[in-house]
Amino acid sequence: MAKIAFIGLGNMGGPMAANLCKAQHHVTAFDLSAAAVAAAVEKGAHQAKSAAEAVKEAEIVVTMLPAGKHVREVYEKDVLPNAKKGVLLIDCSTIDVDSARHVAGLAQKAGHEMIDAPVSGGVGGATAGTLTFMVGGSEVSFAKARPILEKMGKNIVHAGDSGNGQAAKICNNMILGISMIAVSESFMLGKRLGLDAQKLFDVASTASGQCWSLTNYCPVPGPVPTSPANRDYQAGFTAAMMLKDLLLAQQAASAAGATTPLGAEAAQLFSLFVNSGHGAKDFSGIIRMLDGK
Ligand code: NAD
């Protein structure tokens, strides 16, 4: 049983902390939202009054926060000044690569090990303990973190040094954003040409157009009964989250001198979709905008 501080108990962090409690770890939880802390306590966590208090006795600190600025702030103000020497720090938030490397550098200077471990799998995966973790950090830190990550996820990949977990996450999600637009455009064109959506699915899902956005998450109702298209695009993964990740990818591309014209176009289109009031819808709902609805 490890003493774990868990900071950030939102849609993802709440169920992840609950799975650590279920695995008999001693979890001390903090969030700015009292309701989020109360929900974690109900699942077996111990309440802390501040992030600083949460980390004081911890052997492991897990953070699951909205963005890079929150992670920098919490680490600089609360975690690093208060954690015991030699603590293992695991940041599961999806943030920019620069912030991830900056914070890992500060942690190392303070004598701690740190990994960036963003996830995919959404709230369903967080609740079921089946998340995919993409990890950046040293081999030693990865090996230490693995048993903890295994309580929250199934597929755990060491992607390289600090920041590479974030790099893997945004590269993957750039593929996803672009491919969802590609699949949506094809179904929209097919419809205009008088092609039945199921027929297009039957062909493309077994031909060279096959991809996850088509076969697992088809953006039109019918061919994949579990896809959000069958429930009015009620979110599994929101358009706002997709936009966040596409903008992180663009920020990283510009810093790294990479040319990603389709990634840039996807970011623009999702911006339009989100700014027209659809940020809370599933990202596959972008087909409705592309279809002129
Ligand atoms: P969320 O907004 O539901 O939760 C974030 C929590 O952090 C909130 O409860 C908030 O009160 C808390 N918080 C913010 N600043 C804080 C601070 N200074 N101290 C303590 N708590 C603080 O967000 P979420 O959906 O749980 O996402 C968390 C992270 O996971 C994000 O980086 C997101 O991009 C990533 N992510 C989300 C999903 C998803 O489907 N929701 C999937 C993969 C990755």
Side-chain angles (χ1 to χ4, degrees):
M1 183 181 86
K3 285 186 185 162
I4 302 176
F6 205 114
I7 303 169
L9 305 158
N11 293 324
M12 296 293 288
M16 290 165 72
N19 280 327
L20 292 176
C21 293
K22 214 191 295 168
Q24 307 301 324
H25 289 298
H26 184 281
V27 177
T28 305
F30 178 71
D31 192 291
L32 294 177
S33 149
V37 177
V41 168
E42 220 165 86
K43 300 280 181 187
H46 302 262
Q47 174 174 359
K49 291 198 179 69
S50 64
E53 184 188 300
V55 303
K56 277 216 161 90
E57 297 302 321
E59 296 154 335
I60 295 168
V61 176
V62 183
T63 42
M64 191 50 162
L65 296 162
K69 65 175 183 186
H70 307 97
V71 172
R72 282 182 187 243
E73 195 184 301
V74 167
Y75 274 81
E76 285 170 17
K77 279 202 194 140
D78 301 310
V79 176
L80 297 176
N82 291 293
K84 290 196 285 197
K85 270 256 171 318
V87 160
L88 172 63
L89 307 171
I90 303 177
D91 179 39
C92 296
S93 327
T94 299
I95 66 171
D96 57 290
V97 175
D98 280 351
S99 290
R101 290 185 176 149
H102 171 74
V103 173
L106 295 180
Q108 198 184 12
K109 270 194 206 136
H112 306 303
E113 293 186 51
M114 176 158 192
I115 59 165
D116 47 294
V119 303
S120 77
V123 176
T127 307
T130 55
L131 292 168
T132 291
F133 283 93
M134 294 148 267
V135 180
S138 73
E139 287 284 355
V140 173
S141 310
F142 177 69
K144 277 193 191 163
R146 192 178 189 115
I148 298 298
L149 301 181
E150 278 171 347
K151 301 296 177 210
M152 301 182 281
K154 280 269 171 290
N155 186 20
I156 298 155
V157 179
H158 187 202
D161 289 338
S162 291
N164 279 20
Q166 300 294 349
K169 163 91 186 174
I170 57 174
C171 289
N172 177 74
N173 280 15
M174 189 168 80
I175 298 175
L176 179 62
I178 293 170
S179 68
M180 183 52 78
I181 292 168
V183 171
S184 297
E185 288 188 358
S186 290
F187 274 89
M188 193 191 60
L189 174 61
K191 187 172 81 174
R192 299 279 196 282
L193 297 173
L195 180 59
D196 181 62
Q198 185 65 49
K199 297 291 176 202
L200 174 55
F201 181 85
D202 291 345
V203 172
S205 63
T206 54
S208 45
Q210 192 276 331
C211 64
W212 188 91
S213 293
L214 176 76
T215 50
N216 287 46
Y217 221 77
C218 191
V220 295
V224 177
T226 51
S227 79
N230 299 287
R231 40 175 212 271
D232 194 28
Y233 302 97
Q234 193 190 318
F237 184 53
T238 65
M241 287 278 180
M242 174 50 83
L243 176 60
K244 174 191 169 184
D245 293 354
L246 287 170
L247 292 174
L248 286 176
Q250 284 309 290
Q251 186 185 338
S254 118
T259 312
T260 54
L262 290 183
E265 189 58 36
Q268 290 261 6
L269 288 169
F270 273 101
S271 242
L272 254 179
F273 186 55
V274 168
N275 292 333
S276 57
H278 299 104
K281 283 279 180 199
D282 189 78
F283 80 110
S284 59
I286 198 161
I287 191 170
R288 306 197 67 186
M289 183 182 87
L290 297 169
D291 203 12
K293 288 180 182 149

